[in-house]
Amino acid sequence: MKRHLIFSALLCLGLASCADLDVPGLIASSSPGSNERFAVSKAYNDANGFRHISLSEDSYTFYAATDAHISATANGLTRFTSDYVADAGAAPFALFIGDAMDEKNNFGRFLETVRPISACGRTLFCTPGNHDLYFGQWTEYIKEMKTASYCFEVTVASGVTDLFICLDSASGTLGTDQRAWLENVLHRARMENLLSSYREKYRHTVIFTHTHFFKRDNSQGHTSNFNLEEGYDLEKLFSDYGVSLVISGHDHFFEDTYFKDVRFVTLGAINDTADEQFYYTFRVSDGSISLESHKL
């Protein structure tokens, strides 16, 4: 046991000498905690409201990617951006599911890489990952993104709406305040459906967040994973309120799982050091949400 402790201490000292790793942040984040971050997001949401997107068709395709971990290069994210912008039939929004950076001072490179999306009039909706909190980078992230816990709506030609909910799970927990907000959002959506005199307002509810709920392996170790109690609580909440799809990243392995009638999809990574790089497209229609992977 003593030998293991000495080895761990030496390993931490070695890692601490590497400027690219926030070793103290692996133990206690240098960014604010979940409730503090949610308070910032809620204040912005209360002042500015949520986005609403209207489409002229009943079905649409949106793009999604995660875990760019930008360091020396951003080739995978560049390809994702260019493919999305070149797809004239894609929805006017895409999702990025966290871990934009792999080193400090690289958030600007992330923003520059995805700038063509906003330049062509489309929106990239983002959620932070655990790497986006290292080195106190939450300050930089929220300055640019404004909010990390929010909703947006997509209304299609028939008049029904798909509800997208972004959750900040970068610390491996939602925290008590964000958890309460989430249930309130889901409850309001259910009540609007029940009170509708013609047809339900909401067709699909899609949740996207960085931390995954199921995992193929233990590649992430202890970092930013939901504990079993919170994971089960959220999985039950999603099921009770009829969530269609939960999209996450973090594990760098693709997984497509159904649990309690909810589909959980963990996306593979798009970072340049991955053995294989992927981004994904989701086709949303009345009866289903289909998925296609794109290997770079």
Side-chain angles (χ1 to χ4, degrees):
M1 180 67 178
K2 182 177 180 181
R3 183 180 301 172
H4 289 161
L5 290 173
I6 293 173
F7 175 78
S8 298
L10 291 173
L11 178 61
C12 287
L13 286 173
L15 290 174
S17 66
C18 178
D20 298 343
L21 295 175
D22 181 13
V23 175
L26 296 174
I27 301 169
S29 177
S30 52
S31 293
S34 298
N35 284 344
E36 295 173 87
R37 298 198 308 273
F38 177 71
V40 175
S41 293
K42 184 176 185 301
Y44 179 85
N45 298 339
D46 290 346
N48 296 276
F50 298 123
R51 295 283 300 275
H52 188 93
I53 298 169
S54 296
L55 302 178
S56 58
E57 298 179 351
D58 286 338
S59 300
Y60 59 91
T61 298
F62 69 87
Y63 281 56
T66 188
D67 292 274
H69 291 280
I70 291 178
S71 182
T73 62
N75 297 327
L77 188 63
T78 298
R79 172 71 180 278
F80 165 76
T81 299
S82 62
D83 285 1
Y84 169 55
V85 169
D87 187 349
F93 70 92
L95 307 181
F96 184 77
I97 318 291
D99 276 1
M101 301 164 278
D102 212 22
E103 301 174 358
K104 58 183 176 181
N105 303 322
N106 270 327
F107 195 55
R109 182 178 294 179
F110 171 81
L111 294 175
E112 188 61 31
T113 303
V114 300
R115 195 175 305 281
I117 295 176
S118 58
C120 73
R122 297 179 177 183
T123 301
L124 182 66
F125 291 102
C126 298
T127 185
N130 54 302
H131 279 254
D132 303 322
L133 301 185
Y134 296 157
F135 301 106
Q137 292 177 134
W138 164 255
T139 300
E140 185 177 7
Y141 185 96
I142 200 64
K143 178 182 178 181
E144 297 293 338
M145 296 304 182
K146 310 302 182 186
T147 178
S149 309
Y150 57 91
C151 307
F152 68 92
E153 295 182 338
V154 180
T155 299
V156 299
S158 64
V160 295
T161 296
D162 296 323
L163 175 63
F164 286 75
I165 304 174
C166 175
L167 300 176
D168 175 1
S169 60
S171 297
T173 178
L174 298 190
T176 54
D177 297 345
Q178 185 178 198
R179 166 60 173 79
W181 170 82
L182 169 62
E183 184 165 11
N184 186 48
V185 170
L186 292 172
H187 180 72
R188 289 203 316 267
R190 167 175 282 182
M191 292 306 297
E192 289 200 40
N193 279 352
L194 291 175
L195 294 174
S196 175
S197 59
Y198 174 53
R199 60 183 171 187
E200 291 185 344
K201 175 180 177 179
Y202 292 106
R203 178 176 64 171
H204 295 294
T205 298
V206 177
I207 289 175
F208 61 103
T209 190
H210 182 68
T211 301
H212 56 295
F213 289 84
F214 303 95
K215 56 184 178 180
R216 285 177 47 181
D217 64 2
N218 199 35
S219 65
Q220 298 302 312
H222 75 286
T223 60
S224 307
N225 289 328
F226 289 111
N227 64 48
L228 291 177
E229 292 80 4
E230 182 174 7
Y232 185 80
D233 169 66
L234 293 173
E235 290 151 14
K236 183 178 186 301
L237 183 70
F238 299 154
S239 178
D240 288 347
Y241 282 95
V243 170
S244 300
L245 174 66
V246 179
I247 308 172
S248 59
H250 186 51
D251 200 37
H252 296 197
F253 287 95
F254 176 79
E255 187 165 19
D256 192 349
T257 301
Y258 282 88
F259 184 69
K260 292 182 175 291
D261 297 321
V262 180
R263 187 180 187 183
F264 292 82
V265 175
T266 303
L267 305 183
I270 202 170
N271 65 306
D272 290 350
T273 60
D275 292 336
E276 295 181 325
Q277 296 171 282
F278 291 92
Y279 70 80
Y280 301 83
T281 53
F282 292 83
R283 182 69 178 173
V284 184
S285 60
D286 282 341
S288 66
I289 303 177
S290 60
L291 164 66
E292 183 177 353
S293 61
H294 302 266
K295 184 177 179 180
L296 302 185

